[in-house]
PDB file of all heavy atoms in Angstrom:
ATOM      1  N   LEU S   1      -8.894   1.818 -11.667  1.00 93.00           N
ATOM      2  CA  LEU S   1      -8.992   0.852 -12.726  1.00 93.00           C
ATOM      3  C   LEU S   1      -9.473   1.397 -13.984  1.00 93.00           C
ATOM      4  O   LEU S   1      -9.263   0.823 -15.067  1.00 93.00           O
ATOM      5  CB  LEU S   1     -10.037  -0.218 -12.250  1.00 93.00           C
ATOM      6  CG  LEU S   1      -9.658  -1.009 -11.026  1.00 93.00           C
ATOM      7  CD1 LEU S   1     -10.863  -1.923 -10.554  1.00 93.00           C
ATOM      8  CD2 LEU S   1      -8.456  -1.943 -11.205  1.00 93.00           C
ATOM      9  N   PHE S   2     -10.085   2.568 -13.865  1.00 91.00           N
ATOM     10  CA  PHE S   2     -10.624   3.311 -15.172  1.00 91.00           C
ATOM     11  C   PHE S   2      -9.860   4.505 -15.474  1.00 91.00           C
ATOM     12  O   PHE S   2      -9.741   4.945 -16.605  1.00 91.00           O
ATOM     13  CB  PHE S   2     -12.048   3.723 -14.924  1.00 91.00           C
ATOM     14  CG  PHE S   2     -13.040   2.457 -14.584  1.00 91.00           C
ATOM     15  CD1 PHE S   2     -13.293   2.164 -13.313  1.00 91.00           C
ATOM     16  CD2 PHE S   2     -13.429   1.689 -15.548  1.00 91.00           C
ATOM     17  CE1 PHE S   2     -14.017   1.067 -12.963  1.00 91.00           C
ATOM     18  CE2 PHE S   2     -14.297   0.540 -15.283  1.00 91.00           C
ATOM     19  CZ  PHE S   2     -14.569   0.218 -14.012  1.00 91.00           C
ATOM     20  N   GLU S   3      -9.311   5.208 -14.391  1.00 87.00           N
ATOM     21  CA  GLU S   3      -8.532   6.445 -14.556  1.00 87.00           C
ATOM     22  C   GLU S   3      -7.029   6.277 -14.524  1.00 87.00           C
ATOM     23  O   GLU S   3      -6.563   6.152 -13.408  1.00 87.00           O
ATOM     24  CB  GLU S   3      -9.010   7.435 -13.538  1.00 87.00           C
ATOM     25  CG  GLU S   3     -10.456   8.038 -13.749  1.00 87.00           C
ATOM     26  CD  GLU S   3     -10.403   9.208 -14.664  1.00 87.00           C
ATOM     27  OE1 GLU S   3      -9.282   9.599 -15.159  1.00 87.00           O
ATOM     28  OE2 GLU S   3     -11.454   9.771 -14.825  1.00 87.00           O
ATOM     29  N   PRO S   4      -6.320   6.268 -15.655  1.00 90.00           N
ATOM     30  CA  PRO S   4      -4.889   6.175 -15.634  1.00 90.00           C
ATOM     31  C   PRO S   4      -4.157   7.175 -14.729  1.00 90.00           C
ATOM     32  O   PRO S   4      -3.205   6.922 -14.078  1.00 90.00           O
ATOM     33  CB  PRO S   4      -4.436   6.229 -17.073  1.00 90.00           C
ATOM     34  CG  PRO S   4      -5.655   5.861 -17.856  1.00 90.00           C
ATOM     35  CD  PRO S   4      -6.862   6.303 -17.033  1.00 90.00           C
ATOM     36  N   ALA S   5      -4.809   8.350 -14.631  1.00 86.00           N
ATOM     37  CA  ALA S   5      -4.167   9.477 -13.828  1.00 86.00           C
ATOM     38  C   ALA S   5      -4.028   9.080 -12.487  1.00 86.00           C
ATOM     39  O   ALA S   5      -3.232   9.650 -11.704  1.00 86.00           O
ATOM     40  CB  ALA S   5      -5.023  10.720 -13.976  1.00 86.00           C
ATOM     41  N   PHE S   6      -4.842   8.212 -11.927  1.00 87.00           N
ATOM     42  CA  PHE S   6      -4.766   7.812 -10.422  1.00 87.00           C
ATOM     43  C   PHE S   6      -3.780   6.717 -10.220  1.00 87.00           C
ATOM     44  O   PHE S   6      -3.419   6.585  -9.008  1.00 87.00           O
ATOM     45  CB  PHE S   6      -6.153   7.301 -10.043  1.00 87.00           C
ATOM     46  CG  PHE S   6      -7.238   8.330  -9.818  1.00 87.00           C
ATOM     47  CD1 PHE S   6      -8.497   8.133 -10.123  1.00 87.00           C
ATOM     48  CD2 PHE S   6      -6.887   9.578  -9.181  1.00 87.00           C
ATOM     49  CE1 PHE S   6      -9.468   9.106 -10.061  1.00 87.00           C
ATOM     50  CE2 PHE S   6      -7.854  10.594  -9.022  1.00 87.00           C
ATOM     51  CZ  PHE S   6      -9.177  10.445  -9.489  1.00 87.00           C
ATOM     52  N   ARG S   7      -3.461   6.035 -11.189  1.00 92.00           N
ATOM     53  CA  ARG S   7      -2.796   4.720 -10.920  1.00 92.00           C
ATOM     54  C   ARG S   7      -1.431   4.756 -10.240  1.00 92.00           C
ATOM     55  O   ARG S   7      -1.213   3.925  -9.222  1.00 92.00           O
ATOM     56  CB  ARG S   7      -2.684   3.862 -12.190  1.00 92.00           C
ATOM     57  CG  ARG S   7      -3.970   3.354 -12.753  1.00 92.00           C
ATOM     58  CD  ARG S   7      -3.820   2.754 -14.053  1.00 92.00           C
ATOM     59  NE  ARG S   7      -5.230   2.473 -14.640  1.00 92.00           N
ATOM     60  CZ  ARG S   7      -5.453   2.170 -15.853  1.00 92.00           C
ATOM     61  NH1 ARG S   7      -4.422   2.072 -16.811  1.00 92.00           N
ATOM     62  NH2 ARG S   7      -6.698   2.073 -16.220  1.00 92.00           N
ATOM     63  N   ALA S   8      -0.597   5.618 -10.576  1.00 92.00           N
ATOM     64  CA  ALA S   8       0.693   5.833  -9.821  1.00 92.00           C
ATOM     65  C   ALA S   8       0.574   6.126  -8.440  1.00 92.00           C
ATOM     66  O   ALA S   8       1.220   5.574  -7.521  1.00 92.00           O
ATOM     67  CB  ALA S   8       1.603   6.748 -10.730  1.00 92.00           C
ATOM     68  N   ASP S   9      -0.310   7.124  -8.119  1.00 90.00           N
ATOM     69  CA  ASP S   9      -0.412   7.501  -6.772  1.00 90.00           C
ATOM     70  C   ASP S   9      -1.137   6.360  -5.892  1.00 90.00           C
ATOM     71  O   ASP S   9      -0.759   6.259  -4.797  1.00 90.00           O
ATOM     72  CB  ASP S   9      -1.330   8.866  -6.680  1.00 90.00           C
ATOM     73  CG  ASP S   9      -0.512   9.999  -7.163  1.00 90.00           C
ATOM     74  OD1 ASP S   9       0.515  10.304  -6.628  1.00 90.00           O
ATOM     75  OD2 ASP S   9      -0.993  10.680  -8.114  1.00 90.00           O
ATOM     76  N   VAL S  10      -2.172   5.803  -6.444  1.00 92.00           N
ATOM     77  CA  VAL S  10      -2.789   4.641  -5.787  1.00 92.00           C
ATOM     78  C   VAL S  10      -1.870   3.617  -5.474  1.00 92.00           C
ATOM     79  O   VAL S  10      -1.819   2.968  -4.451  1.00 92.00           O
ATOM     80  CB  VAL S  10      -3.962   4.174  -6.636  1.00 92.00           C
ATOM     81  CG1 VAL S  10      -4.555   2.893  -6.069  1.00 92.00           C
ATOM     82  CG2 VAL S  10      -5.060   5.227  -6.507  1.00 92.00           C
ATOM     83  N   ALA S  11      -0.952   3.271  -6.480  1.00 94.00           N
ATOM     84  CA  ALA S  11      -0.025   2.120  -6.324  1.00 94.00           C
ATOM     85  C   ALA S  11       0.977   2.556  -5.190  1.00 94.00           C
ATOM     86  O   ALA S  11       1.420   1.647  -4.371  1.00 94.00           O
ATOM     87  CB  ALA S  11       0.696   1.819  -7.570  1.00 94.00           C
ATOM     88  N   GLU S  12       1.331   3.749  -5.143  1.00 93.00           N
ATOM     89  CA  GLU S  12       2.244   4.259  -4.060  1.00 93.00           C
ATOM     90  C   GLU S  12       1.687   4.133  -2.700  1.00 93.00           C
ATOM     91  O   GLU S  12       2.278   3.725  -1.653  1.00 93.00           O
ATOM     92  CB  GLU S  12       2.752   5.694  -4.307  1.00 93.00           C
ATOM     93  CG  GLU S  12       3.821   6.169  -3.440  1.00 93.00           C
ATOM     94  CD  GLU S  12       4.228   7.646  -3.749  1.00 93.00           C
ATOM     95  OE1 GLU S  12       4.003   8.072  -4.909  1.00 93.00           O
ATOM     96  OE2 GLU S  12       4.762   8.303  -2.843  1.00 93.00           O
ATOM     97  N   ILE S  13       0.418   4.635  -2.563  1.00 92.00           N
ATOM     98  CA  ILE S  13      -0.279   4.610  -1.356  1.00 92.00           C
ATOM     99  C   ILE S  13      -0.584   3.124  -0.865  1.00 92.00           C
ATOM    100  O   ILE S  13      -0.334   2.787   0.222  1.00 92.00           O
ATOM    101  CB  ILE S  13      -1.615   5.401  -1.465  1.00 92.00           C
ATOM    102  CG1 ILE S  13      -1.428   6.736  -1.559  1.00 92.00           C
ATOM    103  CG2 ILE S  13      -2.447   5.085  -0.135  1.00 92.00           C
ATOM    104  CD1 ILE S  13      -2.612   7.578  -2.019  1.00 92.00           C
ATOM    105  N   ASP S  14      -0.930   2.314  -1.824  1.00 94.00           N
ATOM    106  CA  ASP S  14      -1.179   0.939  -1.626  1.00 94.00           C
ATOM    107  C   ASP S  14       0.123   0.252  -0.937  1.00 94.00           C
ATOM    108  O   ASP S  14       0.076  -0.585  -0.020  1.00 94.00           O
ATOM    109  CB  ASP S  14      -1.627   0.135  -2.771  1.00 94.00           C
ATOM    110  CG  ASP S  14      -2.942  -0.491  -2.658  1.00 94.00           C
ATOM    111  OD1 ASP S  14      -3.499  -0.472  -1.487  1.00 94.00           O
ATOM    112  OD2 ASP S  14      -3.345  -1.199  -3.512  1.00 94.00           O
ATOM    113  N   LYS S  15       1.284   0.614  -1.642  1.00 95.00           N
ATOM    114  CA  LYS S  15       2.620   0.084  -1.099  1.00 95.00           C
ATOM    115  C   LYS S  15       2.832   0.520   0.241  1.00 95.00           C
ATOM    116  O   LYS S  15       3.342  -0.358   1.145  1.00 95.00           O
ATOM    117  CB  LYS S  15       3.619   0.439  -1.994  1.00 95.00           C
ATOM    118  CG  LYS S  15       5.096  -0.064  -1.639  1.00 95.00           C
ATOM    119  CD  LYS S  15       5.124  -1.530  -1.625  1.00 95.00           C
ATOM    120  CE  LYS S  15       6.589  -2.104  -1.561  1.00 95.00           C
ATOM    121  NZ  LYS S  15       7.263  -1.611  -0.472  1.00 95.00           N
ATOM    122  N   SER S  16       2.570   1.759   0.669  1.00 94.00           N
ATOM    123  CA  SER S  16       2.830   2.287   1.963  1.00 94.00           C
ATOM    124  C   SER S  16       1.859   1.489   2.985  1.00 94.00           C
ATOM    125  O   SER S  16       2.353   1.250   4.091  1.00 94.00           O
ATOM    126  CB  SER S  16       2.568   3.780   2.020  1.00 94.00           C
ATOM    127  OG  SER S  16       1.243   4.142   1.908  1.00 94.00           O
ATOM    128  N   LEU S  17       0.678   1.210   2.649  1.00 95.00           N
ATOM    129  CA  LEU S  17      -0.253   0.539   3.486  1.00 95.00           C
ATOM    130  C   LEU S  17       0.237  -0.878   3.635  1.00 95.00           C
ATOM    131  O   LEU S  17       0.165  -1.547   4.761  1.00 95.00           O
ATOM    132  CB  LEU S  17      -1.619   0.538   2.923  1.00 95.00           C
ATOM    133  CG  LEU S  17      -2.268   1.943   2.968  1.00 95.00           C
ATOM    134  CD1 LEU S  17      -3.565   1.892   2.166  1.00 95.00           C
ATOM    135  CD2 LEU S  17      -2.539   2.440   4.377  1.00 95.00           C
ATOM    136  N   GLN S  18       0.828  -1.515   2.678  1.00 96.00           N
ATOM    137  CA  GLN S  18       1.252  -2.879   2.678  1.00 96.00           C
ATOM    138  C   GLN S  18       2.488  -2.932   3.699  1.00 96.00           C
ATOM    139  O   GLN S  18       2.674  -3.827   4.504  1.00 96.00           O
ATOM    140  CB  GLN S  18       1.670  -3.331   1.336  1.00 96.00           C
ATOM    141  CG  GLN S  18       2.400  -4.685   1.287  1.00 96.00           C
ATOM    142  CD  GLN S  18       2.790  -5.169  -0.049  1.00 96.00           C
ATOM    143  OE1 GLN S  18       2.009  -5.364  -1.029  1.00 96.00           O
ATOM    144  NE2 GLN S  18       4.098  -5.167  -0.375  1.00 96.00           N
ATOM    145  N   ASP S  19       3.399  -1.938   3.484  1.00 95.00           N
ATOM    146  CA  ASP S  19       4.538  -1.881   4.384  1.00 95.00           C
ATOM    147  C   ASP S  19       4.033  -1.523   5.851  1.00 95.00           C
ATOM    148  O   ASP S  19       4.665  -2.157   6.719  1.00 95.00           O
ATOM    149  CB  ASP S  19       5.411  -0.688   3.965  1.00 95.00           C
ATOM    150  CG  ASP S  19       6.165  -0.876   2.710  1.00 95.00           C
ATOM    151  OD1 ASP S  19       6.136  -2.007   2.215  1.00 95.00           O
ATOM    152  OD2 ASP S  19       6.521   0.042   2.030  1.00 95.00           O
ATOM    153  N   MET S  20       3.088  -0.918   6.018  1.00 95.00           N
ATOM    154  CA  MET S  20       2.472  -0.713   7.427  1.00 95.00           C
ATOM    155  C   MET S  20       2.033  -2.025   8.047  1.00 95.00           C
ATOM    156  O   MET S  20       2.374  -2.322   9.098  1.00 95.00           O
ATOM    157  CB  MET S  20       1.303   0.185   7.430  1.00 95.00           C
ATOM    158  CG  MET S  20       0.471   0.393   8.655  1.00 95.00           C
ATOM    159  SD  MET S  20      -1.073   1.300   8.485  1.00 95.00           S
ATOM    160  CE  MET S  20      -2.035  -0.093   7.815  1.00 95.00           C
ATOM    161  N   ILE S  21       1.305  -2.777   7.277  1.00 97.00           N
ATOM    162  CA  ILE S  21       0.939  -4.127   7.820  1.00 97.00           C
ATOM    163  C   ILE S  21       2.077  -5.092   7.978  1.00 97.00           C
ATOM    164  O   ILE S  21       2.098  -5.868   9.025  1.00 97.00           O
ATOM    165  CB  ILE S  21      -0.094  -4.853   6.773  1.00 97.00           C
ATOM    166  CG1 ILE S  21      -1.404  -3.973   6.706  1.00 97.00           C
ATOM    167  CG2 ILE S  21      -0.386  -6.251   7.133  1.00 97.00           C
ATOM    168  CD1 ILE S  21      -2.169  -4.023   7.919  1.00 97.00           C
ATOM    169  N   TRP S  22       3.075  -5.014   7.064  1.00 96.00           N
ATOM    170  CA  TRP S  22       4.246  -5.782   7.400  1.00 96.00           C
ATOM    171  C   TRP S  22       5.017  -5.470   8.608  1.00 96.00           C
ATOM    172  O   TRP S  22       5.471  -6.376   9.272  1.00 96.00           O
ATOM    173  CB  TRP S  22       5.212  -5.630   5.990  1.00 96.00           C
ATOM    174  CG  TRP S  22       6.515  -6.429   6.218  1.00 96.00           C
ATOM    175  CD1 TRP S  22       7.691  -5.961   6.411  1.00 96.00           C
ATOM    176  CD2 TRP S  22       6.636  -7.802   6.252  1.00 96.00           C
ATOM    177  NE1 TRP S  22       8.621  -6.969   6.532  1.00 96.00           N
ATOM    178  CE2 TRP S  22       7.988  -8.174   6.455  1.00 96.00           C
ATOM    179  CE3 TRP S  22       5.652  -8.860   6.172  1.00 96.00           C
ATOM    180  CZ2 TRP S  22       8.448  -9.455   6.443  1.00 96.00           C
ATOM    181  CZ3 TRP S  22       6.111 -10.202   6.116  1.00 96.00           C
ATOM    182  CH2 TRP S  22       7.474 -10.486   6.313  1.00 96.00           C
ATOM    183  N   ARG S  23       5.063  -4.124   8.896  1.00 96.00           N
ATOM    184  CA  ARG S  23       5.672  -3.792  10.194  1.00 96.00           C
ATOM    185  C   ARG S  23       5.035  -4.428  11.469  1.00 96.00           C
ATOM    186  O   ARG S  23       5.599  -4.813  12.402  1.00 96.00           O
ATOM    187  CB  ARG S  23       5.842  -2.240  10.391  1.00 96.00           C
ATOM    188  CG  ARG S  23       6.752  -1.495   9.351  1.00 96.00           C
ATOM    189  CD  ARG S  23       7.101  -0.122   9.716  1.00 96.00           C
ATOM    190  NE  ARG S  23       5.886   0.783   9.709  1.00 96.00           N
ATOM    191  CZ  ARG S  23       5.358   1.384   8.755  1.00 96.00           C
ATOM    192  NH1 ARG S  23       5.913   1.172   7.503  1.00 96.00           N
ATOM    193  NH2 ARG S  23       4.227   2.113   8.862  1.00 96.00           N
ATOM    194  N   ILE S  24       3.697  -4.321  11.318  1.00 97.00           N
ATOM    195  CA  ILE S  24       2.848  -4.888  12.500  1.00 97.00           C
ATOM    196  C   ILE S  24       3.038  -6.369  12.594  1.00 97.00           C
ATOM    197  O   ILE S  24       3.317  -6.875  13.624  1.00 97.00           O
ATOM    198  CB  ILE S  24       1.362  -4.611  12.197  1.00 97.00           C
ATOM    199  CG1 ILE S  24       1.121  -3.080  12.356  1.00 97.00           C
ATOM    200  CG2 ILE S  24       0.439  -5.325  13.136  1.00 97.00           C
ATOM    201  CD1 ILE S  24      -0.211  -2.644  11.684  1.00 97.00           C
ATOM    202  N   ILE S  25       3.056  -7.098  11.512  1.00 97.00           N
ATOM    203  CA  ILE S  25       3.270  -8.588  11.487  1.00 97.00           C
ATOM    204  C   ILE S  25       4.632  -8.934  11.981  1.00 97.00           C
ATOM    205  O   ILE S  25       4.843  -9.945  12.760  1.00 97.00           O
ATOM    206  CB  ILE S  25       2.843  -9.157  10.139  1.00 97.00           C
ATOM    207  CG1 ILE S  25       1.329  -8.899   9.823  1.00 97.00           C
ATOM    208  CG2 ILE S  25       3.197 -10.667  10.140  1.00 97.00           C
ATOM    209  CD1 ILE S  25       0.411  -9.431  10.881  1.00 97.00           C
ATOM    210  N   ALA S  26       5.649  -8.189  11.415  1.00 96.00           N
ATOM    211  CA  ALA S  26       7.057  -8.420  11.809  1.00 96.00           C
ATOM    212  C   ALA S  26       7.143  -8.322  13.296  1.00 96.00           C
ATOM    213  O   ALA S  26       7.840  -9.054  13.920  1.00 96.00           O
ATOM    214  CB  ALA S  26       7.954  -7.555  10.947  1.00 96.00           C
ATOM    215  N   ARG S  27       6.539  -7.329  13.845  1.00 96.00           N
ATOM    216  CA  ARG S  27       6.601  -7.059  15.321  1.00 96.00           C
ATOM    217  C   ARG S  27       5.956  -8.115  16.052  1.00 96.00           C
ATOM    218  O   ARG S  27       6.454  -8.648  17.040  1.00 96.00           O
ATOM    219  CB  ARG S  27       6.051  -5.672  15.731  1.00 96.00           C
ATOM    220  CG  ARG S  27       6.124  -5.277  17.175  1.00 96.00           C
ATOM    221  CD  ARG S  27       7.484  -5.348  17.733  1.00 96.00           C
ATOM    222  NE  ARG S  27       7.592  -4.927  19.056  1.00 96.00           N
ATOM    223  CZ  ARG S  27       8.581  -5.332  19.881  1.00 96.00           C
ATOM    224  NH1 ARG S  27       9.563  -6.069  19.467  1.00 96.00           N
ATOM    225  NH2 ARG S  27       8.556  -4.958  21.151  1.00 96.00           N
ATOM    226  N   LEU S  28       4.807  -8.552  15.659  1.00 97.00           N
ATOM    227  CA  LEU S  28       4.124  -9.591  16.340  1.00 97.00           C
ATOM    228  C   LEU S  28       4.877 -10.937  16.300  1.00 97.00           C
ATOM    229  O   LEU S  28       4.914 -11.737  17.245  1.00 97.00           O
ATOM    230  CB  LEU S  28       2.684  -9.885  15.660  1.00 97.00           C
ATOM    231  CG  LEU S  28       1.678  -8.836  16.037  1.00 97.00           C
ATOM    232  CD1 LEU S  28       0.513  -8.879  15.012  1.00 97.00           C
ATOM    233  CD2 LEU S  28       1.127  -8.979  17.406  1.00 97.00           C
ATOM    234  N   ALA S  29       5.578 -11.220  15.112  1.00 96.00           N
ATOM    235  CA  ALA S  29       6.314 -12.370  14.989  1.00 96.00           C
ATOM    236  C   ALA S  29       7.482 -12.321  15.981  1.00 96.00           C
ATOM    237  O   ALA S  29       7.909 -13.421  16.563  1.00 96.00           O
ATOM    238  CB  ALA S  29       6.891 -12.486  13.528  1.00 96.00           C
TER     239      ALA S  29
END
């Protein structure tokens, strides 16, 4: 939120974690 140098990598990691949760929920469904 304060360091622009982190933002692209953090957004990429966040997206990979979101995809992980989606795979779990899709399988449960």
Side-chain angles (χ1 to χ4, degrees):
L1 297 172
F2 303 95
E3 287 275 2
F6 285 139
R7 288 175 190 164
D9 287 306
V10 165
E12 183 180 342
I13 294 170
D14 238 2
K15 180 61 167 59
S16 70
L17 294 170
Q18 177 181 293
D19 292 343
M20 175 192 76
I21 292 296
W22 178 250
R23 290 194 300 272
I24 293 166
I25 296 301
R27 180 58 177 155
L28 284 167

